[in-house]
Amino acid sequence: MKRYSAFAVAREALSYHTGWGRAWRAPEPKPRYDVIIVGAGGHGLATAYYLGKNFGITNVAVLEKGWLGGGNTGRNTTIIRSNYLQDPSAAIYEKSRALYENLSQDLNYNVMFSPRGVIMLAQTEHEVRGYRRTAHANALQGVTTEWISPARVKELVPIINLDGPRYPVLGGLWQARGGTARHDAVAWGYARACSAMGMDIIQQCEVTGVRREGGKVMGVDTTRGAIDCDKLGIVVAGHSGVLADMAGFRLPIESVALQALVSEPIKPCMDVVVMANTVHGYMSQSDKGEMVIGGGADGYNNYTQRGSFHHVEETVRALIETFPMISRLKMLRQWGGIVDMTGDRSPILSKTPVEGVFINCGWGTGGFKAIPGSGWGMAELIAKGHSPLTDAFSLDRFKEGRFIDESVAAGVAH
């Protein structure tokens, strides 16, 4: 792999940049791999990367039915934070946030991590109590957050209206080291690093069946032929239930669409991320000047990746009260992604009833922020059979009643 640097750019300029190679290879599938990861999104690629980096397992294939990063990794609003209430959640999200800080150097690829800070607005007395509680919990967990006053919120976000008639701002939970990253760059950086280790990233290769023998996985059938493996990782977000059915077990998840939109680009006006969970709206400004806006998940199960007018209206109507200036903006584009929701709004990183099959799903609306931590823990789970980061997120918790309830703790699981 040719190392990226300012010197490399200058050197390639002498030959009119004709010497750059492909960022990752496009190989044909081999008959057998030690590990197959299904899903070339952020979580799948991060799992493969840390299998190689941390455990030396490089005979790995990452299979993708579409194009690399074309699912939820390329369809989210890029928020990174770790201010969760429950200890297992805070541990894996804080691990992820810490890995994001040095990810560009680690991958030798600029993921454009921007620790601009995240504010979660408290707009009801219930949220005030909840966020104060979370701030105390975060202090015990070693996660740096603080409760801030409305005046401090206004100082950080000058365009905000504190005195909305329905949703006044009563304060906020502030995480200064939270922020955003470039979603495509995260996927591309991991893919490039995996390819450099000799792993095969195989696009346009849909899994059509999981072959088992005596309760153990033997391989997968794909649109590009049968491939054998010793271990199989299923990391396909909203399609996790479909793959689990192929493997012969069921998952306690449901798939719904989550919609987002961006405005036309404008001059810089907001340099933090603001989340307003009472109205299920959140907003940040991209490097290009667009206001990136998201809302809650659809209220019914579906697999659509399109937006809908009523959702735009519902999300923007509430945000306009808090940010009056956005009422004058035009919407540039809108889209949806398929998210997988568990009952307690916490993920599943677990062994399964089929020996050699591991599942990583249930991230719901908050998967992007967890990509490095999820990959780190999932790789350890596949390589060693358990991981301190993932032990609490096993499938067994649903039959044992060990729920990690972030639906109440976080208000919304973004």
Side-chain angles (χ1 to χ4, degrees):
M1 178 178 71
K2 182 175 290 188
R3 186 167 180 81
Y4 292 162
S5 68
F7 297 109
V9 173
R11 183 176 61 249
E12 290 299 327
L14 298 176
S15 60
Y16 301 96
H17 295 286
T18 58
W20 296 110
R22 287 183 175 271
W24 56 85
R25 297 174 297 111
E28 290 297 316
K30 294 190 294 191
R32 182 177 185 83
Y33 294 91
D34 294 337
V35 179
I36 289 177
I37 304 296
V38 184
H43 290 261
L45 291 165
T47 299
Y49 173 72
Y50 292 115
L51 277 171
K53 181 184 178 184
N54 295 348
F55 302 101
I57 301 171
T58 57
N59 185 23
V60 176
V62 184
L63 309 183
E64 171 56 51
K65 73 172 185 177
W67 66 93
L68 187 152
N72 290 354
T73 298
R75 296 172 181 271
N76 65 86
T77 50
T78 74
I79 297 172
I80 298 168
R81 65 181 181 89
S82 60
N83 53 348
Y84 281 73
L85 177 66
Q86 309 295 350
D87 290 349
S89 303
I92 196 166
Y93 283 111
E94 178 62 13
K95 175 68 173 179
S96 189
R97 190 206 59 77
L99 288 170
Y100 263 122
E101 292 204 326
N102 297 304
L103 193 60
S104 294
Q105 291 79 9
D106 190 23
L107 299 178
N108 184 228
Y109 199 96
N110 185 9
V111 302
M112 306 181 197
F113 176 61
S114 170
R116 62 185 66 185
V118 176
I119 303 175
M120 301 181 72
L121 298 180
Q123 295 180 286
T124 66
E125 291 297 336
H126 172 74
E127 281 190 318
V128 171
R129 292 191 297 271
Y131 287 150
R132 286 183 182 273
R133 178 191 179 200
T134 300
H136 294 314
N138 290 160
L140 294 173
Q141 295 156 348
V143 178
T144 304
T145 62
E146 62 176 310
W147 169 259
I148 59 175
S149 67
R152 176 65 172 146
V153 172
K154 183 68 173 179
E155 181 182 335
L156 290 166
V157 194
I159 67 171
I160 199 168
N161 174 27
L162 298 178
D163 304 315
R166 290 185 299 165
Y167 307 113
V169 176
L170 307 177
L173 182 64
W174 167 241
Q175 184 172 23
R177 297 302 295 174
T180 63
R182 173 69 182 176
H183 44 28
D184 293 327
V186 171
W188 297 339
Y190 274 123
R192 179 171 175 267
C194 288
S195 183
M197 286 190 278
M199 299 179 185
D200 290 348
I201 300 168
I202 305 167
Q203 303 178 74
Q204 305 298 323
C205 181
E206 182 175 359
V207 172
T208 57
V210 177
R211 287 182 283 109
R212 295 160 285 152
E213 188 175 300
K216 184 182 187 305
V217 67
M218 303 303 292
V220 295
D221 295 324
T222 78
T223 52
R224 296 178 66 173
I227 310 173
D228 295 337
C229 65
D230 295 325
K231 296 180 180 180
L232 175 67
I234 298 174
V235 196
V236 294
H239 292 285
S240 296
V242 177
L243 267 292
D245 185 59
M246 292 180 190
F249 61 92
R250 297 185 66 189
L251 291 172
I253 63 171
E254 56 184 8
S255 295
V256 299
L258 179 69
Q259 299 182 33
L261 63 116
V262 295
S263 75
E264 59 188 327
I266 57 175
K267 291 182 178 180
C269 64
M270 191 172 86
D271 60 0
V272 301
V273 179
V274 178
M275 305 177 67
N277 291 342
T278 296
V279 299
H280 276 219
Y282 47 99
M283 187 166 74
S284 63
Q285 188 168 21
S286 74
D287 294 336
K288 294 183 289 185
E290 302 161 345
M291 304 307 292
V292 183
I293 297 170
D298 284 5
Y300 52 92
N301 295 353
N302 65 91
Y303 284 89
T304 183
Q305 291 181 311
R306 298 189 301 268
S308 62
F309 177 77
H310 78 276
H311 219 86
V312 174
E313 183 180 30
E314 180 183 316
T315 301
V316 172
R317 181 176 59 217
L319 283 176
I320 282 174
E321 187 175 305
T322 308
F323 301 97
M325 63 159 282
I326 70 170
S327 66
R328 301 191 295 274
L329 297 181
K330 295 181 175 66
M331 184 178 78
L332 185 63
R333 61 185 182 276
Q334 177 193 16
W335 67 92
I338 307 165
V339 298
D340 42 335
M341 313 283 275
T342 61
D344 60 1
R345 296 305 188 262
S346 289
I348 299 169
L349 296 99
S350 179
K351 297 178 181 178
T352 71
V354 180
E355 184 182 349
V357 176
F358 302 83
I359 187 78
N360 180 344
C361 67
W363 290 99
T365 59
F368 178 76
K369 69 176 72 68
I371 284 173
S374 161
W376 185 287
M378 186 68 172
E380 187 174 20
L381 177 64
I382 292 173
K384 299 171 62 176
H386 79 92
S387 167
L389 277 179
T390 67
D391 286 344
F393 298 105
S394 71
L395 274 168
D396 291 340
R397 79 177 189 266
F398 295 99
K399 74 179 179 185
E400 296 172 0
R402 295 184 290 103
F403 301 121
I404 306 170
D405 189 359
E406 289 293 354
S407 58
V408 175
V412 63
H414 297 301

